[in-house]
Amino acid sequence: MNQYLVHFSLVIAISLLLSACEKPSAEVNLYSARKEVLIRPLLEQFTQDTGITVNVISSKADALLKRIESEGINSPADVLLTTDAGRLFRAKSAGVFTPIASDVIESNVPKQYRDSENYWTGLSVRVRPIMVTEEGKKFNLSRYEDLSNPELSGQICIRSSSNIYNQSLVSSLLAASPTEEVETWAKGLVGNMARSPQGGDRDQIRAAAAGQCSIVVANTYYLASMISNEDKSDDFSAGSAMTVIWPNQVEGRGAHVNISGAGVVKSAPNKDNAVKLIEFLSSDKAQEIYANVNFEYPVKADIPLHPVLQKWGEFNADPLNVDYLGEKNADAVKLMDRAGWK
Ligand code: FE
C-alpha cells in the first residue's frame, strides 16, 4: 500500500514544486532615470515577447537611488535603470544591487562596459568628444590634453564640475596620467573657459553658435538631437555648425566613453523577471531601438547606427573599464575643486 501512497505523494509534491517554479509573477518593477517616452517602445516589445508587464517609476537618478535605499527590503524595485557608470557605481557602493549571473549579458555586452563583479551592466554607450565651430577649427585640436593649451584662452564652453559627465571625463584622464598632470590640465582648462560654467551640454553648443566660444565638450547625443530637430530652427543651425573631433585617436587611448545601464535590486521581488528584462535590453532587437531613440551608441557590436551618427564616422573609444570612472569619481571631484572648476 504504502509504496503507492509514497509514490502518489511524491508525484503531488513534485508537481506542486514545479508549478510554483513555473509560475513567475508576470511583472517587473522598473525604476527608471530615463525618460519614459524613450523606453516605452522597448518595454512594450518586452511585454509582447515575454508576457511580463513592466511597471515604471520614473524620476531623477539620485532620487531613485535614495528612494530604493529608504524603502529598504520592502522596496518593490526590481531594476534600476540609469545613466553614467559613476551613478551605477554609487548604487553598487550603497549596497542596492545584487550581482547578475547571465551568459546572455556576458555575450552581448563587452567586458569594458560591465561592472567587474557583475553588479550592473551598460546598455548604451555615450561619447563625450570635443566639438568646434568654424572658428575653433584653426586650433587643430586632437586630444583632451590640448584643452589646457594657453592659446585657447577664452575659447572653451563646458558645463560645471558638479555634472557627472565631466567628473567621469576627469576620472578617465586620471586613468591615463598622474594626478598632478591632470590637475595642471584642469587648471589650464579653467583658465581657457569663455565663461563661468552654466547650463547643460546643449547650452554650450548654443553659446558657441552665439559666438561666446569656439570649443565645446559635450555628449554627442545632445548634438545629434539638435541636428535632428528641424522644427527648432535655432538648435538645428547651432548644432549643424559644429564639427565633432574624436579626441586621442592617433596618440593614445581614444574618445572618452560612458554608458547608461542597469542593475538588479538586491531586494527585488521579481528577480528572474528583472534579469530577463536586462537581458532583453542587451539583445539585438532592443539595442537597435534603445540606442537609436536617444542617439546613443549601441553597447553591442554590429548594430546599425543612426544615420546622424554614421555621418560622424568611426572612432576609437577609450578601452578603459567604465567601472573605473566610478571608482575615481571622488578623486576627480576633489581635483576639479582644487583646479577652481566651478
Ligand atoms: Fe544627458
Side-chain angles (χ1 to χ4, degrees), residues 75-140:
S75 175
D78 291 306
V79 174
L80 173 65
L81 180 72
T82 186
T83 55
D84 207 287
R87 279 205 192 91
L88 290 158
F89 180 88
R90 274 177 210 167
K92 178 190 172 187
S93 308
V96 158
F97 288 147
T98 189
I100 320 163
S102 163
D103 294 343
V104 175
I105 294 170
E106 278 180 32
S107 81
N108 283 344
V109 183
K111 197 163 177 281
Q112 177 195 359
Y113 301 130
R114 284 185 274 122
D115 173 52
S116 56
E117 297 172 310
N118 293 322
Y119 278 82
W120 48 261
T121 179
L123 292 168
S124 66
V125 172
R126 353 183 74 206
V127 199
R128 194 165 183 75
I130 298 168
M131 299 168 190
V132 292
T133 61
E134 234 5 80
E135 171 76 12
K137 283 183 182 171
K138 69 172 183 228
F139 298 108
N140 288 318

Side-chain angles (χ1 to χ4, degrees), residues 41-60:
L42 281 167
L43 303 180
E44 277 164 11
Q45 186 66 54
F46 174 71
T47 303
Q48 213 174 71
D49 292 1
T50 61
I52 300 167
T53 308
V54 188
N55 309 310
V56 186
I57 289 181
S58 301
S59 190
K60 295 250 189 242

Side-chain angles (χ1 to χ4, degrees), residues 66-334:
K66 276 216 181 83
R67 179 165 171 171
I68 297 173
E69 283 183 283
S70 66
E71 287 169 341
I73 53 163
N74 297 318
S75 175
D78 291 306
V79 174
L80 173 65
L81 180 72
T82 186
T83 55
D84 207 287
R87 279 205 192 91
L88 290 158
F89 180 88
R90 274 177 210 167
K92 178 190 172 187
S93 308
V96 158
F97 288 147
T98 189
I100 320 163
S102 163
D103 294 343
V104 175
I105 294 170
E106 278 180 32
S107 81
N108 283 344
V109 183
K111 197 163 177 281
Q112 177 195 359
Y113 301 130
R114 284 185 274 122
D115 173 52
S116 56
E117 297 172 310
N118 293 322
Y119 278 82
W120 48 261
T121 179
L123 292 168
S124 66
V125 172
R126 353 183 74 206
V127 199
R128 194 165 183 75
I130 298 168
M131 299 168 190
V132 292
T133 61
E134 234 5 80
E135 171 76 12
K137 283 183 182 171
K138 69 172 183 228
F139 298 108
N140 288 318
L141 303 175
S142 67
R143 307 159 74 225
Y144 292 108
E145 285 78 356
D146 296 340
L147 296 173
S148 65
N149 189 336
E151 70 165 343
L152 308 184
S153 176
Q155 298 294 332
I156 301 176
C157 282
I158 187 166
R159 67 201 287 184
S160 90
S161 62
S162 65
N163 170 251
I164 199 158
Y165 306 154
N166 283 337
Q167 295 167 7
S168 289
L169 171 63
V170 172
S171 297
S172 78
L173 288 158
L174 283 170
S177 310
T179 306
E180 310 81 75
E181 246 172 64
V182 182
E183 192 167 331
T184 306
W185 170 82
K187 283 178 182 152
L189 168 64
V190 170
N192 289 337
M193 286 181 186
R195 55 179 192 168
S196 187
Q198 55 198 272
D201 280 2
R202 278 192 189 87
D203 296 310
Q204 314 312 316
I205 298 167
R206 288 174 187 138
Q212 282 190 276
C213 47
S214 63
I215 302 161
V216 167
V217 178
N219 288 356
T220 54
Y221 56 86
Y222 290 113
L223 181 62
S225 83
M226 290 167 86
I227 296 172
S228 303
N229 188 358
E230 288 183 41
D231 297 341
K232 229 176 153 188
S233 60
D234 286 354
D235 271 3
F236 174 75
S237 48
S240 305
M242 301 303 286
T243 300
V244 172
I245 295 174
W246 299 122
N248 301 74
Q249 299 296 293
V250 185
E251 300 163 63
R253 61 193 185 276
H256 169 59
V257 286
N258 207 317
I259 51 150
S260 80
V264 174
V265 177
K266 197 155 85 181
S267 56
N270 308 290
K271 221 163 251 167
D272 292 349
N273 294 346
V275 174
K276 277 186 198 149
L277 176 60
I278 298 178
E279 284 178 342
F280 169 79
L281 292 174
S282 74
S283 69
D284 280 32
K285 197 195 263 180
Q287 281 287 300
E288 268 186 54
I289 313 172
Y290 188 68
N292 281 336
V293 85
N294 199 26
F295 303 106
E296 295 177 331
Y297 286 82
V299 80
K300 190 173 188 294
D302 304 324
I303 303 290
L305 295 181
H306 189 282
V308 173
L309 276 54
Q310 281 178 25
K311 268 192 225 152
W312 294 331
E314 294 195 359
F315 62 93
N316 297 323
D318 187 346
L320 181 71
N321 246 81
V322 292
D323 60 358
Y324 186 89
L325 305 176
E327 272 168 47
K328 280 285 160 193
N329 180 271
D331 290 344
V333 171
K334 281 185 224 141

